[in-house]
Protein backbone atom coordinates (compact mmCIF):
# COMPACT_ATOMS: atom_id res chain seq x y z
CA UNK A 1 0.00 0.00 0.00
CA UNK A 2 1.21 3.47 -0.94
CA UNK A 3 2.37 5.57 2.04
CA UNK A 4 0.68 8.82 0.99
CA UNK A 5 2.22 11.06 3.60
CA UNK A 6 5.80 9.73 3.46
CA UNK A 7 8.58 12.19 2.69
CA UNK A 8 10.10 13.05 0.27
CA UNK A 9 6.93 13.66 -1.66
CA UNK A 10 7.37 12.46 -5.21
CA UNK A 11 4.45 13.43 -7.43
CA UNK A 12 1.63 10.91 -7.45
CA UNK A 13 -0.77 10.26 -10.30
CA UNK A 14 -4.32 9.43 -9.26
CA UNK A 15 -6.34 7.72 -11.99
CA UNK A 16 -9.93 9.00 -11.84
CA UNK A 17 -12.17 6.07 -12.69
CA UNK A 18 -14.89 8.47 -13.89
CA UNK A 19 -13.41 8.10 -17.38
CA UNK A 20 -12.87 4.34 -17.15
CA UNK A 21 -15.10 1.86 -18.97
CA UNK A 22 -17.74 1.10 -16.31
CA UNK A 23 -18.43 -2.23 -18.02
CA UNK A 24 -14.80 -3.28 -17.71
CA UNK A 25 -13.82 -1.43 -14.56
CA UNK A 26 -11.26 -3.83 -13.07
CA UNK A 27 -9.49 -4.33 -16.41
CA UNK A 28 -9.37 -0.60 -17.09
CA UNK A 29 -8.02 0.14 -13.59
CA UNK A 30 -5.41 -2.60 -13.99
CA UNK A 31 -4.31 -0.96 -17.23
CA UNK A 32 -4.06 2.49 -15.60
CA UNK A 33 -2.01 1.08 -12.72
CA UNK A 34 0.23 -0.86 -15.09
CA UNK A 35 0.79 2.42 -16.95
CA UNK A 36 2.23 3.88 -13.75
CA UNK A 37 -0.74 5.45 -11.94
CA UNK A 38 -0.05 5.35 -8.19
CA UNK A 39 -3.61 5.22 -6.90
CA UNK A 40 -7.27 5.29 -7.90
CA UNK A 41 -9.47 8.39 -7.48
CA UNK A 42 -13.18 7.74 -6.99
CA UNK A 43 -15.54 10.61 -7.90
CA UNK A 44 -18.76 10.35 -5.92
CA UNK A 45 -21.60 12.65 -7.06
CA UNK A 46 -25.02 12.77 -5.44
CA UNK A 47 -27.15 14.65 -8.00
CA UNK A 48 -27.51 17.53 -5.50
CA UNK A 49 -24.12 19.09 -4.80
CA UNK A 50 -23.48 18.55 -8.52
CA UNK A 51 -26.14 17.61 -11.07
CA UNK A 52 -24.46 14.34 -12.03
CA UNK A 53 -24.90 10.98 -10.29
CA UNK A 54 -22.02 8.51 -10.28
CA UNK A 55 -21.10 5.80 -7.78
CA UNK A 56 -21.54 4.66 -4.19
CA UNK A 57 -19.70 2.61 -1.57
CA UNK A 58 -20.24 -0.64 -3.50
CA UNK A 59 -17.86 0.59 -6.20
CA UNK A 60 -15.19 1.07 -3.53
CA UNK A 61 -15.98 -2.34 -2.04
CA UNK A 62 -15.44 -4.01 -5.43
CA UNK A 63 -12.28 -2.03 -6.15
CA UNK A 64 -10.92 -3.04 -2.75
CA UNK A 65 -11.69 -6.70 -3.52
CA UNK A 66 -9.90 -6.58 -6.87
CA UNK A 67 -7.07 -4.31 -5.71
CA UNK A 68 -6.34 -5.12 -2.06
CA UNK A 69 -3.10 -3.11 -2.03
CA UNK A 70 -4.09 -0.05 -4.06
CA UNK A 71 -4.71 3.30 -2.36
CA UNK A 72 -8.30 4.46 -2.90
CA UNK A 73 -8.85 8.24 -2.82
CA UNK A 74 -12.56 9.05 -2.48
CA UNK A 75 -13.69 12.52 -3.58
CA UNK A 76 -17.15 13.19 -2.16
CA UNK A 77 -19.02 15.73 -4.29
CA UNK A 78 -22.07 15.39 -2.07
CA UNK A 79 -24.18 17.65 0.11
CA UNK A 80 -23.87 15.44 3.20
CA UNK A 81 -20.39 13.92 3.45
CA UNK A 82 -21.07 13.34 7.14
CA UNK A 83 -23.62 10.67 6.13
CA UNK A 84 -21.32 8.96 3.62
CA UNK A 85 -17.83 8.99 5.12
CA UNK A 86 -18.33 5.89 7.26
CA UNK A 87 -19.90 3.72 4.51
CA UNK A 88 -17.02 4.54 2.15
CA UNK A 89 -14.42 3.86 4.86
CA UNK A 90 -16.10 0.57 5.74
CA UNK A 91 -15.99 -0.31 2.02
CA UNK A 92 -12.23 0.24 1.91
CA UNK A 93 -11.42 3.91 1.22
CA UNK A 94 -7.97 5.17 2.27
CA UNK A 95 -8.73 8.88 1.97
CA UNK A 96 -12.03 10.73 2.20
CA UNK A 97 -12.12 14.26 0.79
CA UNK A 98 -15.15 16.52 1.18
CA UNK A 99 -15.94 20.06 0.07
CA UNK A 100 -15.47 23.32 1.97
CA UNK A 101 -18.64 24.52 0.21
CA UNK A 102 -20.84 22.14 2.25
CA UNK A 103 -19.11 22.99 5.53
CA UNK A 104 -20.04 25.62 8.10
CA UNK A 105 -19.87 28.59 8.02
CA UNK A 106 -19.85 28.69 4.20
CA UNK A 107 -23.05 26.68 4.33
CA UNK A 108 -24.87 27.53 7.57
CA UNK A 109 -25.96 24.75 9.90
CA UNK A 110 -29.56 25.77 9.26
CA UNK A 111 -29.04 24.89 5.58
CA UNK A 112 -27.44 21.52 6.39
CA UNK A 113 -23.82 22.73 6.53
CA UNK A 114 -21.58 20.22 8.27
CA UNK A 115 -19.02 20.59 11.07
CA UNK A 116 -15.77 20.00 9.15
CA UNK A 117 -13.53 19.65 12.22
CA UNK A 118 -15.80 16.98 13.68
CA UNK A 119 -15.90 15.07 10.39
CA UNK A 120 -12.11 15.17 9.99
CA UNK A 121 -11.83 13.81 13.52
CA UNK A 122 -14.28 10.97 12.81
CA UNK A 123 -12.43 10.04 9.60
CA UNK A 124 -9.09 9.97 11.44
CA UNK A 125 -10.47 7.90 14.31
CA UNK A 126 -11.39 5.27 11.72
CA UNK A 127 -7.74 5.13 10.58
CA UNK A 128 -8.36 6.92 7.29
CA UNK A 129 -6.77 10.00 5.74
CA UNK A 130 -8.89 13.15 5.50
CA UNK A 131 -8.97 15.79 2.79
CA UNK A 132 -10.86 18.97 1.99
CA UNK A 133 -11.68 20.36 -1.44
CA UNK A 134 -12.26 23.87 -2.83
CA UNK A 135 -14.13 24.64 -6.03
CA UNK A 136 -12.70 27.15 -8.54
CA UNK A 137 -14.79 30.13 -7.33
CA UNK A 138 -14.11 29.47 -3.63
CA UNK A 139 -11.43 31.41 -1.74
CA UNK A 140 -8.94 29.16 0.07
CA UNK A 141 -8.80 31.02 3.40
CA UNK A 142 -11.80 29.05 4.71
CA UNK A 143 -9.48 26.03 4.77
CA UNK A 144 -6.94 27.71 7.06
CA UNK A 145 -8.49 26.45 10.30
CA UNK A 146 -8.22 22.83 9.11
CA UNK A 147 -4.86 22.72 7.34
CA UNK A 148 -2.98 21.30 10.33
CA UNK A 149 -5.29 18.30 10.48
CA UNK A 150 -5.61 17.48 6.78
CA UNK A 151 -3.67 14.82 4.87
CA UNK A 152 -4.87 16.07 1.48
CA UNK A 153 -5.94 19.50 0.22
CA UNK A 154 -7.64 19.31 -3.16
CA UNK A 155 -7.89 22.33 -5.45
CA UNK A 156 -10.50 21.84 -8.18
CA UNK A 157 -9.26 23.12 -11.53
CA UNK A 158 -12.67 22.64 -13.19
CA UNK A 159 -16.16 23.07 -11.80
CA UNK A 160 -16.99 19.58 -10.51
CA UNK A 161 -19.54 17.40 -12.25
CA UNK A 162 -17.91 15.62 -15.13
CA UNK A 163 -14.57 14.72 -16.68
CA UNK A 164 -13.19 16.09 -19.92
CA UNK A 165 -13.49 19.82 -19.12
CA UNK A 166 -10.83 22.46 -19.77
CA UNK A 167 -8.27 23.37 -17.10
CA UNK A 168 -8.98 26.71 -15.35
CA UNK A 169 -5.59 28.47 -14.91
CA UNK A 170 -7.06 31.00 -12.48
CA UNK A 171 -6.90 28.39 -9.67
CA UNK A 172 -3.09 28.34 -9.75
CA UNK A 173 -2.80 31.34 -7.42
CA UNK A 174 -4.91 29.44 -4.89
CA UNK A 175 -2.53 26.47 -5.02
CA UNK A 176 0.41 28.83 -4.55
CA UNK A 177 -1.28 30.41 -1.52
CA UNK A 178 -2.01 27.03 0.02
CA UNK A 179 1.31 25.27 -0.57
CA UNK A 180 3.47 27.08 2.04
CA UNK A 181 0.65 26.79 4.57
CA UNK A 182 0.50 22.97 4.39
CA UNK A 183 2.29 20.58 6.71
CA UNK A 184 5.24 18.99 4.87
CA UNK A 185 3.39 15.66 4.79
CA UNK A 186 0.10 17.05 3.43
CA UNK A 187 -0.51 16.40 -0.25
CA UNK A 188 -1.59 19.24 -2.54
CA UNK A 189 -3.93 17.59 -5.02
CA UNK A 190 -5.34 19.14 -8.18
CA UNK A 191 -8.29 17.78 -10.15
CA UNK A 192 -9.68 18.72 -13.53
CA UNK A 193 -8.32 19.29 -16.99
CA UNK A 194 -4.82 18.08 -16.18
CA UNK A 195 -2.90 16.63 -19.10
CA UNK A 196 0.65 16.80 -20.51
CA UNK A 197 -0.07 20.33 -21.82
CA UNK A 198 -1.44 21.82 -18.58
CA UNK A 199 0.61 19.96 -15.98
CA UNK A 200 3.66 22.26 -15.79
CA UNK A 201 1.76 25.19 -14.30
CA UNK A 202 0.24 22.91 -11.64
CA UNK A 203 3.55 21.28 -10.75
CA UNK A 204 5.23 24.70 -10.52
CA UNK A 205 2.60 25.72 -7.97
CA UNK A 206 3.56 22.77 -5.77
CA UNK A 207 0.91 20.23 -6.77
CA UNK A 208 2.17 16.75 -5.82
CA UNK A 209 -0.98 14.68 -6.35
CA UNK A 210 -2.31 14.80 -9.90
CA UNK A 211 -5.80 13.59 -10.77
CA UNK A 212 -6.41 12.52 -14.33
CA UNK A 213 -9.48 11.01 -15.95
CA UNK A 214 -9.91 11.77 -19.65
CA UNK A 215 -6.22 12.40 -20.45
CA UNK A 216 -5.26 8.99 -19.04
CA UNK A 217 -8.19 6.73 -19.92
CA UNK A 218 -8.63 8.39 -23.33
CA UNK A 219 -5.01 7.80 -24.37
CA UNK A 220 -3.77 4.94 -26.48
CA UNK A 221 -0.37 5.15 -24.76
CA UNK A 222 -1.35 5.53 -21.12
CA UNK A 223 2.19 5.03 -19.82
CA UNK A 224 3.36 8.02 -21.88
CA UNK A 225 0.68 10.19 -20.27
CA UNK A 226 1.70 9.13 -16.74
CA UNK A 227 5.36 9.79 -17.56
CA UNK A 228 4.53 13.25 -18.89
CA UNK A 229 2.44 14.10 -15.80
CA UNK A 230 5.27 13.03 -13.46
CA UNK A 231 8.14 14.50 -15.51
C1 LIG B 1 -14.67 16.37 -11.78
C2 LIG B 1 -14.01 15.20 -11.08
C3 LIG B 1 -12.68 14.88 -11.66
C4 LIG B 1 -12.75 14.46 -13.11
C5 LIG B 1 -11.47 14.84 -13.79
O1 LIG B 1 -15.89 16.63 -11.20
O2 LIG B 1 -13.81 15.50 -9.71
O3 LIG B 1 -11.97 13.93 -10.89
O4 LIG B 1 -12.97 13.09 -13.25
O5 LIG B 1 -11.61 14.61 -15.16
P1 LIG B 1 -10.55 15.15 -16.22
O6 LIG B 1 -9.19 14.68 -15.79
O7 LIG B 1 -11.02 14.54 -17.49
O8 LIG B 1 -10.68 16.65 -16.21
ZN1 LIG C 1 -12.34 14.21 -8.42
Amino acid sequence: MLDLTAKPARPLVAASILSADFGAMADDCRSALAAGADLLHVDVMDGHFVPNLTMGPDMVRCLRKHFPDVYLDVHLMVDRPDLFAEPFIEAGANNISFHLEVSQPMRPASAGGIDAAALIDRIHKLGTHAGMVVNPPTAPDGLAAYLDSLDVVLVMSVNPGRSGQSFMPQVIDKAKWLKPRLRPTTRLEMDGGLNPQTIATARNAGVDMIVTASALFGATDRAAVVRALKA
Side-chain angles (χ1 to χ4, degrees), residues 60-132:
V60 169
R61 202 181 319 282
C62 290
L63 290 173
R64 177 52 70 223
K65 185 175 90 181
H66 287 275
F67 303 100
D69 300 324
V70 172
Y71 193 95
L72 301 178
D73 173 31
V74 173
H75 175 191
L76 293 181
M77 284 160 276
V78 305
D79 269 343
R80 292 294 304 271
D82 54 326
L83 300 181
F84 288 104
E86 271 93 356
F88 278 99
I89 292 169
E90 186 270 322
N94 297 103
N95 178 63
I96 299 284
S97 288
F98 61 95
H99 276 255
L100 178 64
E101 292 83 7
V102 301
S103 306
Q104 301 166 21
M106 230 183 128
R107 181 174 292 180
S110 57
I114 64 144
D115 179 340
L119 182 54
I120 293 165
D121 197 46
R122 270 167 51 203
I123 293 169
H124 280 156
K125 285 207 168 99
L126 292 167
T128 306
H129 290 142
M132 283 183 76

Coordinates of all heavy atoms in Angstrom, one line a residue, residues 60-132:
V60 N -16.4 1.2 -4.3 CA -15.2 1.1 -3.5 C -15.0 -0.4 -3.0 O -13.9 -0.9 -3.0 CB -15.2 2.1 -2.4 CG1 -14.1 1.9 -1.4 CG2 -15.1 3.5 -3.0
R61 N -16.1 -1.0 -2.6 CA -16.0 -2.3 -2.0 C -15.4 -3.3 -3.1 O -14.6 -4.1 -2.8 CB -17.4 -2.8 -1.6 CG -17.4 -4.0 -0.6 CD -18.8 -4.4 -0.2 NE -19.7 -3.3 0.0 CZ -19.8 -2.5 1.1 NH1 -18.9 -2.8 2.1 NH2 -20.6 -1.5 1.2
C62 N -15.9 -3.1 -4.3 CA -15.4 -4.0 -5.4 C -14.0 -3.7 -5.8 O -13.2 -4.6 -6.1 CB -16.4 -3.9 -6.6 SG -18.0 -4.7 -6.3
L63 N -13.7 -2.4 -5.8 CA -12.3 -2.0 -6.2 C -11.3 -2.6 -5.1 O -10.3 -3.1 -5.4 CB -12.1 -0.5 -6.2 CG -12.8 0.2 -7.4 CD1 -12.7 1.7 -7.2 CD2 -12.2 -0.2 -8.7
R64 N -11.8 -2.5 -3.8 CA -10.9 -3.0 -2.7 C -10.7 -4.5 -2.9 O -9.6 -5.1 -2.7 CB -11.6 -2.7 -1.4 CG -10.9 -3.2 -0.2 CD -9.4 -2.8 -0.1 NE -9.1 -1.4 0.1 CZ -8.2 -0.8 -0.6 NH1 -7.4 -1.3 -1.5 NH2 -8.0 0.5 -0.3
K65 N -11.8 -5.2 -3.3 CA -11.7 -6.7 -3.5 C -10.7 -7.0 -4.6 O -9.9 -7.9 -4.5 CB -13.1 -7.3 -3.9 CG -13.1 -8.8 -4.0 CD -14.5 -9.3 -4.2 CE -14.8 -9.3 -5.7 NZ -16.2 -9.8 -6.0
H66 N -10.8 -6.3 -5.7 CA -9.9 -6.6 -6.9 C -8.5 -6.0 -6.7 O -7.6 -6.5 -7.3 CB -10.5 -6.0 -8.2 CG -11.7 -6.8 -8.6 ND1 -11.6 -8.0 -9.4 CD2 -13.0 -6.7 -8.4 CE1 -12.8 -8.5 -9.7 NE2 -13.7 -7.7 -9.1
F67 N -8.4 -5.0 -5.9 CA -7.1 -4.3 -5.7 C -6.8 -4.1 -4.2 O -6.9 -3.0 -3.7 CB -7.1 -2.9 -6.4 CG -7.4 -3.0 -7.9 CD1 -8.6 -2.8 -8.4 CD2 -6.4 -3.5 -8.8 CE1 -8.9 -2.9 -9.7 CE2 -6.7 -3.6 -10.2 CZ -8.0 -3.3 -10.6
P68 N -6.5 -5.2 -3.5 CA -6.3 -5.1 -2.1 C -5.2 -4.2 -1.6 O -5.3 -3.6 -0.5 CB -6.0 -6.6 -1.6 CG -5.7 -7.3 -2.9 CD -6.3 -6.6 -4.0
D69 N -4.2 -3.9 -2.5 CA -3.1 -3.1 -2.0 C -3.1 -1.7 -2.7 O -2.1 -1.0 -2.6 CB -1.8 -3.8 -2.4 CG -1.7 -5.2 -1.7 OD1 -2.2 -5.3 -0.5 OD2 -1.2 -6.1 -2.3
V70 N -4.1 -1.3 -3.4 CA -4.1 -0.1 -4.1 C -4.8 1.0 -3.2 O -5.9 0.8 -2.7 CB -4.7 -0.2 -5.5 CG1 -4.9 1.2 -6.1 CG2 -3.9 -1.1 -6.3
Y71 N -4.2 2.2 -3.1 CA -4.7 3.3 -2.4 C -5.9 3.9 -3.1 O -5.9 4.2 -4.3 CB -3.6 4.4 -2.2 CG -3.9 5.5 -1.2 CD1 -3.5 5.4 0.1 CD2 -4.7 6.6 -1.6 CE1 -3.7 6.4 1.0 CE2 -5.0 7.6 -0.6 CZ -4.5 7.5 0.7 OH -4.8 8.4 1.6
L72 N -7.0 4.0 -2.3 CA -8.3 4.5 -2.9 C -8.6 5.8 -2.3 O -8.9 6.0 -1.1 CB -9.4 3.5 -2.6 CG -9.2 2.0 -3.2 CD1 -10.4 1.1 -2.8 CD2 -9.0 2.1 -4.7
D73 N -8.6 6.8 -3.2 CA -8.8 8.2 -2.8 C -10.3 8.6 -3.2 O -10.6 8.7 -4.4 CB -7.8 9.1 -3.6 CG -8.0 10.6 -3.5 OD1 -8.4 11.0 -2.5 OD2 -7.6 11.3 -4.5
V74 N -11.1 8.8 -2.2 CA -12.6 9.1 -2.5 C -12.9 10.5 -2.4 O -12.6 11.2 -1.3 CB -13.4 8.2 -1.5 CG1 -14.9 8.6 -1.7 CG2 -13.2 6.7 -1.7
H75 N -13.4 11.1 -3.5 CA -13.7 12.5 -3.6 C -15.2 12.6 -3.5 O -15.9 12.3 -4.5 CB -13.1 13.0 -4.9 CG -13.5 14.5 -5.2 ND1 -13.2 15.0 -6.5 CD2 -14.0 15.4 -4.5 CE1 -13.7 16.3 -6.5 NE2 -14.2 16.6 -5.3
L76 N -15.7 13.1 -2.4 CA -17.1 13.2 -2.2 C -17.7 14.5 -2.6 O -17.5 15.6 -2.0 CB -17.5 13.0 -0.7 CG -17.2 11.7 0.0 CD1 -17.6 11.7 1.4 CD2 -17.9 10.5 -0.8
M77 N -18.3 14.5 -3.8 CA -19.0 15.7 -4.3 C -20.5 15.6 -3.9 O -21.4 15.3 -4.8 CB -18.8 15.9 -5.8 CG -17.4 16.4 -6.2 SD -17.0 16.0 -7.9 CE -16.4 14.3 -7.7
V78 N -20.7 15.7 -2.6 CA -22.1 15.4 -2.1 C -22.4 16.5 -1.0 O -21.5 17.1 -0.4 CB -22.2 14.0 -1.4 CG1 -21.7 12.9 -2.4 CG2 -21.3 13.9 -0.1
D79 N -23.7 16.7 -0.9 CA -24.2 17.6 0.1 C -23.9 17.2 1.6 O -23.7 18.1 2.4 CB -25.7 17.9 0.0 CG -26.0 19.0 -1.0 OD1 -25.1 19.8 -1.3 OD2 -27.2 19.1 -1.5
R80 N -24.0 15.9 1.8 CA -23.9 15.4 3.2 C -22.7 14.4 3.4 O -23.0 13.2 3.6 CB -25.2 14.8 3.6 CG -26.4 15.9 3.8 CD -26.1 16.9 4.9 NE -25.9 16.2 6.2 CZ -26.9 15.9 7.0 NH1 -28.2 16.1 6.7 NH2 -26.6 15.3 8.2
P81 N -21.5 14.9 3.3 CA -20.4 13.9 3.5 C -20.4 13.3 4.8 O -19.9 12.2 5.0 CB -19.1 14.8 3.3 CG -19.6 16.2 3.5 CD -21.0 16.2 3.1
D82 N -21.0 13.9 5.8 CA -21.1 13.3 7.1 C -21.9 12.0 7.2 O -21.7 11.2 8.0 CB -21.6 14.4 8.1 CG -23.0 14.9 7.7 OD1 -23.2 15.1 6.5 OD2 -23.8 15.1 8.6
L83 N -22.8 11.9 6.2 CA -23.6 10.7 6.1 C -22.9 9.6 5.3 O -23.3 8.4 5.4 CB -25.0 10.9 5.5 CG -25.9 12.0 6.1 CD1 -27.2 12.1 5.4 CD2 -26.1 11.6 7.6
F84 N -21.9 9.9 4.5 CA -21.3 9.0 3.6 C -19.9 8.6 4.0 O -19.4 7.6 3.4 CB -21.4 9.5 2.2 CG -22.8 9.4 1.6 CD1 -23.6 10.6 1.5 CD2 -23.4 8.2 1.3 CE1 -24.9 10.6 1.1 CE2 -24.7 8.2 0.8 CZ -25.4 9.3 0.7
A85 N -19.2 9.3 4.8 CA -17.8 9.0 5.1 C -17.7 7.6 5.7 O -16.9 6.8 5.1 CB -17.3 10.0 6.1
E86 N -18.5 7.2 6.7 CA -18.3 5.9 7.3 C -18.6 4.8 6.3 O -17.8 3.8 6.2 CB -19.2 5.7 8.5 CG -18.6 6.2 9.8 CD -18.8 7.6 10.2 OE1 -19.5 8.3 9.3 OE2 -18.4 8.1 11.2
P87 N -19.7 4.8 5.5 CA -19.9 3.7 4.5 C -18.8 3.6 3.5 O -18.4 2.4 3.2 CB -21.2 4.1 3.8 CG -21.9 5.0 4.8 CD -20.9 5.7 5.5
F88 N -18.2 4.7 3.1 CA -17.0 4.5 2.2 C -15.8 4.0 2.9 O -15.0 3.2 2.3 CB -16.7 5.9 1.5 CG -17.6 6.1 0.3 CD1 -18.7 7.0 0.4 CD2 -17.4 5.5 -0.9 CE1 -19.6 7.2 -0.7 CE2 -18.2 5.8 -2.0 CZ -19.3 6.6 -1.9
I89 N -15.6 4.4 4.1 CA -14.4 3.9 4.9 C -14.6 2.4 5.1 O -13.7 1.6 4.9 CB -14.3 4.6 6.2 CG1 -13.8 6.1 5.9 CG2 -13.2 3.9 7.1 CD1 -13.9 7.0 7.1
E90 N -15.8 2.0 5.5 CA -16.1 0.6 5.7 C -15.9 -0.2 4.5 O -15.5 -1.4 4.5 CB -17.5 0.5 6.3 CG -18.0 -0.9 6.7 CD -18.6 -1.7 5.6 OE1 -19.3 -1.1 4.7 OE2 -18.3 -2.9 5.5
A91 N -16.2 0.4 3.3 CA -16.0 -0.3 2.0 C -14.5 -0.4 1.6 O -14.2 -1.2 0.7 CB -16.8 0.4 0.9
G92 N -13.6 0.4 2.2 CA -12.2 0.2 1.9 C -11.5 1.5 1.5 O -10.4 1.4 1.0
A93 N -12.1 2.7 1.6 CA -11.4 3.9 1.2 C -10.2 4.2 2.1 O -10.2 3.9 3.3 CB -12.4 5.1 1.4
N94 N -9.2 4.8 1.5 CA -8.0 5.2 2.3 C -8.0 6.7 2.6 O -7.4 7.1 3.6 CB -6.7 4.8 1.5 CG -6.5 3.4 1.3 OD1 -6.8 2.9 0.2 ND2 -6.2 2.6 2.3
N95 N -8.6 7.4 1.7 CA -8.7 8.9 2.0 C -10.2 9.3 1.6 O -10.7 8.8 0.6 CB -7.8 9.7 1.1 CG -8.0 11.2 1.3 OD1 -7.8 11.7 2.4 ND2 -8.4 11.9 0.3
I96 N -10.7 10.2 2.5 CA -12.0 10.7 2.2 C -11.8 12.2 2.1 O -11.4 12.9 3.1 CB -13.0 10.4 3.4 CG1 -13.2 8.9 3.6 CG2 -14.3 11.2 3.1 CD1 -14.1 8.3 2.5
S97 N -12.2 12.8 1.0 CA -12.1 14.3 0.8 C -13.5 14.8 0.6 O -14.3 14.2 -0.2 CB -11.3 14.7 -0.4 OG -9.9 14.4 -0.2
F98 N -13.8 15.9 1.3 CA -15.1 16.5 1.2 C -15.0 18.0 1.0 O -13.9 18.6 1.2 CB -16.0 16.2 2.4 CG -15.4 16.8 3.7 CD1 -15.8 18.0 4.2 CD2 -14.5 16.0 4.4 CE1 -15.3 18.5 5.4 CE2 -14.0 16.5 5.6 CZ -14.4 17.8 6.1
H99 N -16.0 18.7 0.5 CA -15.9 20.1 0.1 C -16.1 21.1 1.2 O -17.0 21.0 2.0 CB -17.0 20.3 -1.0 CG -16.4 19.9 -2.4 ND1 -16.0 20.8 -3.4 CD2 -16.2 18.6 -2.9 CE1 -15.6 20.1 -4.4 NE2 -15.7 18.8 -4.2
L100 N -15.3 22.1 1.1 CA -15.5 23.3 2.0 C -16.8 23.9 1.8 O -17.4 24.5 2.7 CB -14.4 24.3 1.6 CG -14.4 25.6 2.4 CD1 -14.1 25.4 3.9 CD2 -13.3 26.6 1.9
E101 N -17.4 23.8 0.5 CA -18.6 24.5 0.2 C -19.8 23.9 1.0 O -20.9 24.6 1.0 CB -18.9 24.4 -1.3 CG -17.9 25.3 -2.2 CD -16.6 24.5 -2.4 OE1 -16.5 23.3 -2.1 OE2 -15.7 25.2 -3.0
V102 N -19.7 22.7 1.5 CA -20.8 22.1 2.2 C -20.6 22.2 3.8 O -21.3 21.7 4.5 CB -21.1 20.7 1.8 CG1 -21.5 20.6 0.4 CG2 -20.0 19.7 2.2
S103 N -19.5 22.9 4.1 CA -19.1 23.0 5.5 C -19.5 24.4 6.1 O -19.5 25.4 5.4 CB -17.6 22.8 5.7 OG -17.2 21.6 5.0
Q104 N -19.8 24.4 7.4 CA -20.0 25.6 8.1 C -18.7 26.4 8.2 O -17.7 25.8 8.3 CB -20.5 25.4 9.5 CG -21.8 24.5 9.6 CD -22.0 24.0 11.0 OE1 -21.5 24.5 12.0 NE2 -22.8 22.9 11.1
P105 N -18.7 27.7 8.1 CA -19.9 28.6 8.0 C -20.3 28.9 6.6 O -21.2 29.6 6.4 CB -19.4 29.9 8.7 CG -17.9 29.9 8.4 CD -17.5 28.5 8.4
M106 N -19.5 28.4 5.6 CA -19.8 28.7 4.2 C -21.3 28.3 3.9 O -22.0 29.0 3.3 CB -18.9 27.9 3.2 CG -18.3 28.9 2.2 SD -17.3 28.0 1.1 CE -18.0 28.6 -0.4
R107 N -21.6 27.1 4.4 CA -23.0 26.7 4.3 C -23.5 26.6 5.8 O -23.0 25.8 6.6 CB -23.2 25.3 3.7 CG -24.7 24.9 3.6 CD -24.9 23.6 2.8 NE -24.6 23.8 1.4 CZ -24.7 22.8 0.5 NH1 -25.0 21.6 0.9 NH2 -24.4 23.0 -0.8
P108 N -24.5 27.5 6.2 CA -24.9 27.5 7.6 C -25.5 26.2 8.0 O -26.0 25.4 7.2 CB -25.9 28.6 7.6 CG -25.8 29.3 6.3 CD -25.2 28.4 5.3
A109 N -25.4 26.0 9.3 CA -26.0 24.8 9.9 C -27.4 24.6 9.6 O -28.0 23.5 9.3 CB -25.7 24.7 11.4
S110 N -28.1 25.8 9.5 CA -29.6 25.8 9.3 C -29.9 25.3 7.8 O -31.0 24.8 7.5 CB -30.1 27.2 9.5 OG -29.5 28.1 8.6
A111 N -28.9 25.4 7.0 CA -29.0 24.9 5.6 C -28.4 23.5 5.4 O -28.1 23.1 4.2 CB -28.5 25.9 4.6
G112 N -28.0 22.9 6.5 CA -27.4 21.5 6.4 C -25.9 21.5 6.3 O -25.3 20.5 6.1
G113 N -25.3 22.7 6.5 CA -23.8 22.7 6.5 C -23.2 21.8 7.6 O -23.8 21.7 8.7
I114 N -22.1 21.2 7.3 CA -21.6 20.2 8.3 C -20.5 20.8 9.1 O -19.9 21.9 8.7 CB -21.1 19.0 7.5 CG1 -19.9 19.3 6.6 CG2 -22.2 18.3 6.8 CD1 -18.9 18.2 6.5
D115 N -20.1 20.2 10.2 CA -19.0 20.6 11.1 C -17.8 19.9 10.6 O -17.6 18.7 10.8 CB -19.4 20.2 12.5 CG -18.3 20.5 13.5 OD1 -17.1 20.7 13.1 OD2 -18.5 20.6 14.7
A116 N -16.9 20.6 9.8 CA -15.8 20.0 9.1 C -14.8 19.4 10.2 O -14.3 18.3 10.0 CB -15.1 21.0 8.2
A117 N -14.5 20.1 11.2 CA -13.5 19.6 12.2 C -14.0 18.3 12.8 O -13.2 17.4 13.0 CB -13.3 20.7 13.3
A118 N -15.3 18.2 13.1 CA -15.8 17.0 13.7 C -15.7 15.8 12.7 O -15.4 14.7 13.0 CB -17.3 17.2 14.1
L119 N -16.0 16.1 11.4 CA -15.9 15.1 10.4 C -14.5 14.6 10.2 O -14.2 13.4 10.1 CB -16.5 15.5 9.1 CG -16.6 14.5 7.9 CD1 -17.2 13.2 8.4 CD2 -17.3 15.1 6.7
I120 N -13.5 15.6 10.1 CA -12.1 15.2 10.0 C -11.7 14.2 11.1 O -11.1 13.2 10.9 CB -11.2 16.4 10.0 CG1 -11.5 17.3 8.7 CG2 -9.7 16.1 10.1 CD1 -10.9 18.7 8.8
D121 N -12.1 14.6 12.3 CA -11.8 13.8 13.5 C -12.4 12.4 13.4 O -11.7 11.4 13.7 CB -12.4 14.6 14.7 CG -11.8 14.0 16.0 OD1 -10.6 13.9 16.1 OD2 -12.6 13.8 17.0
R122 N -13.6 12.3 13.0 CA -14.3 11.0 12.8 C -13.5 10.1 11.8 O -13.3 8.9 12.0 CB -15.7 11.1 12.4 CG -16.7 11.2 13.5 CD -18.1 11.7 13.1 NE -18.6 11.0 12.0 CZ -19.6 11.5 11.2 NH1 -20.0 12.7 11.4 NH2 -20.1 10.8 10.2
I123 N -13.2 10.8 10.7 CA -12.4 10.0 9.6 C -11.1 9.5 10.2 O -10.7 8.4 10.0 CB -12.2 11.0 8.4 CG1 -13.6 11.3 7.7 CG2 -11.3 10.3 7.4 CD1 -13.5 12.4 6.7
H124 N -10.4 10.4 10.9 CA -9.1 10.0 11.4 C -9.2 8.9 12.5 O -8.4 7.9 12.5 CB -8.4 11.2 12.1 CG -7.7 12.1 11.1 ND1 -7.5 13.4 11.3 CD2 -7.3 11.8 9.8 CE1 -6.9 13.9 10.2 NE2 -6.7 13.0 9.3
K125 N -10.3 8.9 13.3 CA -10.5 7.9 14.3 C -10.7 6.5 13.7 O -10.5 5.5 14.3 CB -11.6 8.3 15.2 CG -11.2 9.4 16.2 CD -12.1 9.4 17.5 CE -11.4 10.3 18.5 NZ -12.1 11.6 18.6
L126 N -11.2 6.5 12.4 CA -11.4 5.3 11.7 C -10.1 4.8 10.9 O -10.2 3.9 10.1 CB -12.6 5.4 10.8 CG -13.9 5.5 11.6 CD1 -15.1 5.9 10.7 CD2 -14.3 4.2 12.3
G127 N -9.0 5.5 11.2 CA -7.7 5.1 10.6 C -7.6 5.5 9.1 O -6.9 4.8 8.4
T128 N -8.3 6.5 8.7 CA -8.4 6.9 7.3 C -7.8 8.3 7.1 O -8.0 9.2 8.1 CB -9.8 6.8 6.8 OG1 -10.3 5.5 7.1 CG2 -10.0 7.1 5.3
H129 N -7.2 8.6 6.0 CA -6.8 10.0 5.7 C -8.0 10.9 5.4 O -9.0 10.4 5.0 CB -5.8 10.0 4.6 CG -4.5 9.4 4.9 ND1 -3.7 8.7 4.0 CD2 -3.7 9.5 6.0 CE1 -2.6 8.3 4.5 NE2 -2.6 8.8 5.8
A130 N -7.8 12.2 5.7 CA -8.9 13.1 5.5 C -8.4 14.3 4.6 O -7.3 14.8 4.8 CB -9.4 13.7 6.8
G131 N -9.3 14.7 3.7 CA -9.0 15.8 2.8 C -10.1 16.8 2.7 O -11.3 16.4 2.9
M132 N -9.8 18.0 2.3 CA -10.9 19.0 2.0 C -10.6 19.6 0.6 O -9.5 19.7 0.2 CB -11.0 20.1 3.1 CG -11.7 19.5 4.3 SD -11.9 20.8 5.6 CE -13.3 21.8 4.9

